Each structure stands twice: as C-alpha cells, then as structure tokens.
Amino acid sequence: MQHRLDTSEDCKRADGELPERQPEPEAIKAPVPQLPGFAAQLIGQRMRAMYETLAQEPVPDDLLELVRKLEAKERPE
Amino acid sequence: MTQPKSFGDALIEAIPNLRAFAHSLSGDGQLSNDLVQETLLKAWTHKESFVPDSNLKAWLFTILRNTYFTYYRKSQREELDEDTAAMNASVPPAQLTHLEFEDMQRALMRLSADHREALLLITAEGFSYEDAARVCGCAVGTMKSRVNRARSKLLEEMTGQPVDDGHREPEEAPKSSSGP
C-alpha cells in the first residue's frame, strides 16, 4: 500500500462531537437481539483470547524505526 | 530525571493494539502492518489536530479504521474476501488451539465489516460505547445494536446453528460499511 499523507479526511472526527446523523435503518428496524449471558460470555472470552494473541506478537522493527525517525527529524540539533 | 512521555512514545505504546485491531479487522497480517504504518504516519503529520489529554488510542483507532475502509472500498472491486484471512492465517496462538483461533478469525471475517469492528472495539479492545461510536462515526445506540447483532451472528457462524434470539434478520441488502 502506498503511503498517502494527503488524506487528512481520515484524521477528522476524532475527539469531535458525535456526528449528527440520522439513526441508521438497522438501529430502528427491529428489537435488538440479546444472547443468553453464557453465550455472550463465551464469545467475549474467545474474542479476547484471539485479540490478545495478536497484540502480544512482537512489533516489527520497521514500525518502531518509523516513529523514531519521525521524532528525530523534528528534534532541533 | 524522568522525561515526560513524548508523542512518539505514546504512538509506540499503542502499536501492539493497533496491530491487533488492524489484523482482526482486515483478516490479513501483511495488510495490517501497512495499515498501522500509514496510521502512524498520518497521526504524526496531523498531530496538531489531536486534542491533548483526550483519548489518543481512540483517535488512532479512528485513523486506522478510516484508512482501512478507504482501502477496503477500493479493493472490493478486486474481491477481498474471507479467503484472504485463511491465506494469511497467522501466529501460533497462546490460549486458543490453532483450530479455535482460525475458526474465530474466519467467523469474524464472515461478519459485515461494521459488525466486526463493533465487536472488536467493544468486546476485544474494551472501548466504552461512547468511544467506539466516536471511532466509527455512528450513534451510541447504533453501536449497541451492532454489537448485539454481531454477537448473535458470530455465535451462529461458530456453531452452525441459528441463534434463536426472537429476532428475524430481514433479507439484508449487501451494504458496505458506514465508513467515512
């Protein structure tokens, strides 16, 4: 993927107010289903286990270097 | 003397979670590193627009998911599908057996992208509904209903059994996510 820095769009909206939006159709079309507690728990456990496994992978050096380089560029000599 | 934490330090601290989110959202380990890299670059370039003392992680997640959906819409023409997840299946899992891990990833990838991200943000990452709604640019109520639907769907995917939650899903038109 190319690095594009022109997409300030993607950085918008963070920490702003919630966008004023029409409620989306899915929010109003039906009652929200509720799973029995144990099923929701099971899903939660599995999800977190998967997610933690991914988060524990070692961070590739090039990502760390990228941040360090960006910092170094700004540091006044 | 302890230095105050720099913006760069804060970015580095967030990388593991950004990668986990990117990987489970896209189902693609290779792509997730590119997404994180782009997120870091954008965050750095636009760091003046970050409000100090607000939730940096939520801000970074917003950038990442917007970057992903921009990419996703482009690549839909090229049929990015759930098989990508299987092909790039990752890492020997710590707590789950390999099969359970793959099942989970595969089932996740069969959810719609907005259901998937809702579940990841709330259930896996532990964001509040408010923060998750802000990240996705939707209403809090929408976020809550997405999470509940996503849970039911995921359970169906994992068990092969329809979940009787008293709710019948209407024929769903294939609709892309609510991306930016």
Side-chain angles (χ1 to χ4, degrees):
Chain A
M1 188 191 301
Q2 290 297 327
H3 300 138
R4 288 168 293 107
L5 292 174
D6 54 314
T7 44
S8 51
E9 271 304 296
D10 290 341
C11 304
K12 279 192 193 153
R13 230 208 271 122
D15 302 295
E17 293 103 69
L18 292 178
E20 297 275 335
R21 276 212 192 171
Q22 295 296 337
E24 285 161 48
E26 68 181 296
I28 48 177
K29 74 186 168 198
V32 174
Q34 292 287 349
L35 282 184
F38 72 90
Q41 248 180 13
L42 179 76
I43 297 258
Q45 280 171 3
R46 288 270 178 108
M47 289 268 307
R48 278 188 292 276
M50 184 205 72
Y51 199 80
E52 271 163 34
T53 303
L54 293 173
Q56 280 163 15
E57 281 181 49
V59 172
D61 286 341
D62 53 344
L63 291 179
L64 299 175
E65 272 166 33
L66 172 69
V67 178
R68 292 304 176 209
K69 272 187 195 147
L70 291 168
E71 275 188 321
K73 248 197 280 179
E74 273 186 19
R75 204 166 294 138
E77 283 305 305
Chain B
M1 201 171 71
T2 47
Q3 291 272 54
K5 201 165 50 166
S6 71
F7 189 73
D9 293 336
L11 288 186
I12 285 175
E13 235 172 63
I15 292 177
N17 287 47
L18 288 170
R19 289 182 75 235
F21 179 58
H23 193 150
S24 35
L25 184 64
S26 69
D28 184 332
Q30 274 304 316
L31 175 61
S32 70
N33 280 330
D34 291 345
L35 289 170
V36 172
Q37 188 168 31
E38 199 164 332
T39 300
L40 295 171
L41 279 166
K42 285 178 184 167
W44 189 268
T45 312
H46 297 278
K47 61 182 185 297
E48 277 72 33
S49 67
F50 172 69
V51 184
D53 298 328
S54 60
N55 190 338
L56 178 68
K57 197 157 82 169
W59 187 64
L60 294 172
F61 272 59
T62 308
I63 299 174
L64 194 150
R65 63 83 69 185
N66 289 348
T67 304
Y68 170 65
F69 283 113
T70 306
Y71 170 82
Y72 182 76
R73 276 193 303 270
K74 269 188 216 148
S75 64
Q76 260 181 336
R77 273 163 279 153
E78 299 154 31
E79 281 299 301
L80 179 89
D81 59 41
E82 70 207 47
D83 294 336
T84 319
M87 283 187 317
N88 293 304
S90 41
V91 296
Q95 303 97 326
L96 296 175
T97 69
H98 195 66
L99 200 64
E100 284 173 328
F101 186 85
E102 279 192 0
D103 277 355
M104 186 75 208
Q105 278 201 321
R106 235 184 279 258
L108 256 184
M109 290 313 288
R110 280 197 290 265
L111 302 182
S112 70
D114 44 2
H115 281 178
R116 185 162 63 246
E117 76 171 335
L119 209 49
L120 286 169
L121 291 172
I122 298 291
T123 307
E125 187 55 49
F127 275 123
S128 67
Y129 283 108
E130 286 73 17
D131 280 343
R134 203 168 280 137
V135 168
C136 302
C138 69
V140 175
T142 305
M143 182 52 62
K144 288 182 180 169
S145 88
R146 277 183 194 168
V147 170
N148 283 317
R149 294 233 158 76
R151 277 199 195 112
S152 299
K153 287 249 180 212
L154 193 63
L155 197 66
E156 273 181 36
E157 291 292 348
M158 290 169 79
T159 59
Q161 302 285 323
V163 173
D164 189 11
D165 51 24
H167 165 67
R168 294 281 161 270
E169 198 76 26
E171 244 353 87
E172 215 165 290
K175 169 173 78 95
S176 75
S177 80
S178 70

